[in-house]
Amino acid sequence: MREKLKMLGLKLTELSNYLGYSRPTLYKYLEDYENKKYKQINFRVRKVFDFIMKKKTLSKIEVINFILQLDTEVEKNNFDLFIEELKKDEKLIQDISTYIEEIGQTKLIKIIKIYIKESSNNDWKIF
């Protein structure tokens, strides 16, 4: 794996930035991957490592595009899961609707934006 990254000109520091993990964490995942300890690796990171290893010809740009595409799919899937969970709770839907009517959509969006800014990134990461 390390050789493949080197051939791509993709430094672990750069890859860690794209994946949203610290360099030491990514080094641990890389070591686990090389030792076939796959269950200890974050699923998303493992998908990227598998993508890199399975492709015979690959460029740095293709790896970055794969990560971006994966992130988009994850965000869409997470949002879909959120909506599905929300649909299961009719009282919550009613409470949210009432709250939006009381304060207005614009104010609710501002509240959400403030909450996101004040929350740590870990509060918003599912993977």
Side-chain angles (χ1 to χ4, degrees):
M1 180 67 172
R2 293 172 203 256
E3 268 308 303
K4 192 95 174 208
L5 291 173
K6 191 174 182 179
M7 287 173 37
L8 291 169
L10 189 57
K11 295 181 180 183
L12 218 54
T13 304
E14 189 177 7
L15 189 58
S16 70
N17 288 333
Y18 284 114
L19 290 169
Y21 289 93
S22 69
R23 190 178 44 79
T25 299
L26 209 55
Y27 268 113
K28 171 145 181 21
Y29 286 152
L30 182 59
E31 188 175 309
D32 290 340
Y33 189 84
E34 291 175 338
N35 291 318
K36 299 181 183 348
K37 296 179 181 177
Y38 302 122
K39 290 184 179 181
Q40 297 178 18
I41 304 170
N42 170 276
F43 178 76
R44 185 170 152 266
V45 173
R46 182 169 174 205
K47 277 189 94 164
V48 172
F49 286 176
D50 286 344
F51 176 77
I52 292 170
M53 291 306 293
K54 289 178 182 174
K55 292 279 198 170
K56 290 185 179 186
T57 58
L58 188 64
S59 71
K60 181 177 175 177
I61 298 295
E62 287 175 296
V63 174
I64 294 166
N65 284 337
F66 180 79
I67 293 168
L68 295 173
Q69 177 186 357
L70 187 62
D71 288 346
T72 302
E73 289 172 9
V74 167
E75 288 171 11
K76 182 183 181 305
N77 290 339
N78 289 343
F79 187 75
D80 290 344
L81 289 172
F82 169 74
I83 296 299
E84 288 304 312
E85 284 299 311
L86 194 58
K87 286 179 182 177
K88 293 177 187 176
D89 191 338
E90 289 189 32
K91 180 173 180 350
L92 180 60
I93 292 171
Q94 184 60 44
D95 291 345
I96 291 170
S97 295
T98 301
Y99 186 69
I100 292 171
E101 287 173 12
E102 288 175 6
I103 67 165
Q105 291 178 359
T106 305
K107 188 168 183 180
L108 178 61
I109 290 171
K110 285 180 183 177
I111 291 169
I112 292 170
K113 285 180 180 180
I114 290 168
Y115 181 79
I116 291 170
K117 283 182 183 177
E118 291 177 357
S119 297
S120 69
N121 287 338
N122 292 335
D123 290 341
W124 292 91
K125 285 188 177 179
I126 292 177
F127 290 97

